[in-house]
Structure formats: structure tokens, C-alpha cells
């Protein structure tokens, strides 16, 4: 990531959110809780609770997504999770000031990267 501006913890949380949101949406049957506007807004302010729950289910989403979509593309998305994770051991409990906007920017940038680097059709 050299040459890029320093990513904040809020931005990284948005990136994690995007990776899990995409994997959740790629599952057969789709049912995508994270793609909901209210969940996104809540998580942009209080990331810890929703992201902890989402991370605990990401393996299942990954396996199910591989059943429906090209394995290489799904693997690429899943592999992005490691780089997106916050540097600290856990997600922040609350984001204040510019934090929610940075979270949302991280999400948007990560979704754009996923679209650019995979052949997946995202909603």
C-alpha cells in the first residue's frame, strides 16, 4: 500500500464491511442484510457490533458464494479481507467526527476495487 494515503481505522472498517457485504450478496438466494441502508448507517457510527457478527459468518458466505460464482473471483474478494482489516485487534466501538464519512468512503472504494479486479456482477 506504499504511495497511498494512510487509511484510518474507520476507512478500513468500511472496506471490511464492503468485502463481507459483497460475499453475503453473492450467496445463492442472496439475502443480504449488510446491503440495507439502515444497517450501513448504523455500522458507520457503531462498527464493532455489526462487524463482529458479520466477520463470524464470512466463512459461510464465502463457501456458499463459491457454489454460484467463478471460484477465482470469489477467492479474490475473500482475499481482500485480510488487507482491509483494522490494524488494531478489534473494531472501534464508535466512530465520531469524520469517522462515519471515512467508513462510507472506504466501503465505496472497496466496492469499486472489487468491480475493477473481478468479473463479478454486483448489485
Amino acid at each position: 500500500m506504499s504511495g497511498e494515503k494512510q487509511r484510518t481505522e474507520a476507512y478500513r472498517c468500511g472496506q471490511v464491511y464492503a468485502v463481507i457485504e459483497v460475499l453475503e450478496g453473492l450467496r445463492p438466494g442472496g439475502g443480504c442484510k449488510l446491503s440495507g441502508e439502515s444497517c450501513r448507517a448504523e455500522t458507520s457510527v457503531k462498527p464493532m457490533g455489526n462487524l463482529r457478527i458479520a466477520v463470524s459468518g464470512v466463512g459461510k458466505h464465502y463457501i456458499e458464494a463459491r457454489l454460484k460464482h467463478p471460484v477465482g473471483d470469489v477467492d479474490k474478494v475473500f482475499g481482500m479481507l485480510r488487507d482491509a482489516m483494522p490494524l488494531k485487534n478489534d473494531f472501534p466501538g464508535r466512530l465520531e467526527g469524520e469517522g462515519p464519512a471515512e467508513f462510507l468512503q472506504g466501503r465505496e472504494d472497496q466496492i469499486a476495487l472489487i468491480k475493477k479486479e473481478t468479473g463479478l456482477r454486483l448489485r
Side-chain angles (χ1 to χ4, degrees):
M1 305 255 20
S2 62
E4 290 185 19
K5 72 173 193 164
Q6 182 67 29
R7 295 178 296 166
T8 65
E9 295 295 291
Y11 184 91
R12 286 176 173 273
C13 287
Q15 290 180 291
V16 169
Y17 187 95
V19 170
I20 299 170
E21 177 183 3
V22 167
L23 289 171
E24 185 179 56
L26 292 174
R27 299 175 312 159
C32 196
K33 178 188 180 225
L34 293 183
S35 67
E37 188 65 39
S38 63
C39 184
R40 187 177 313 127
E42 176 186 334
T43 308
S44 73
V45 175
K46 297 178 183 176
M48 184 184 289
N50 285 337
L51 286 179
R52 276 186 177 174
I53 292 168
V55 166
S56 72
V58 74
K60 181 178 184 215
H61 301 326
Y62 166 67
I63 291 167
E64 290 176 358
R66 291 185 74 183
L67 298 173
K68 183 178 176 187
H69 299 279
V71 171
D73 285 341
V74 174
D75 286 354
K76 192 175 284 188
V77 174
F78 186 72
M80 292 176 178
L81 188 59
R82 181 187 55 155
D83 184 51
M85 291 297 287
L87 299 175
K88 299 184 181 186
N89 291 333
D90 207 350
F91 301 106
R94 184 168 191 80
L95 298 174
E96 296 179 355
E98 294 296 315
E102 291 172 4
F103 174 97
L104 295 171
Q105 187 62 56
R107 178 190 170 271
E108 291 301 317
D109 290 351
Q110 191 67 34
I111 288 175
L113 180 65
I114 291 168
K115 287 179 180 178
K116 177 182 170 189
E117 294 198 5
T118 71
L120 297 168
R121 296 181 72 199
L122 307 178
R123 297 177 212 166

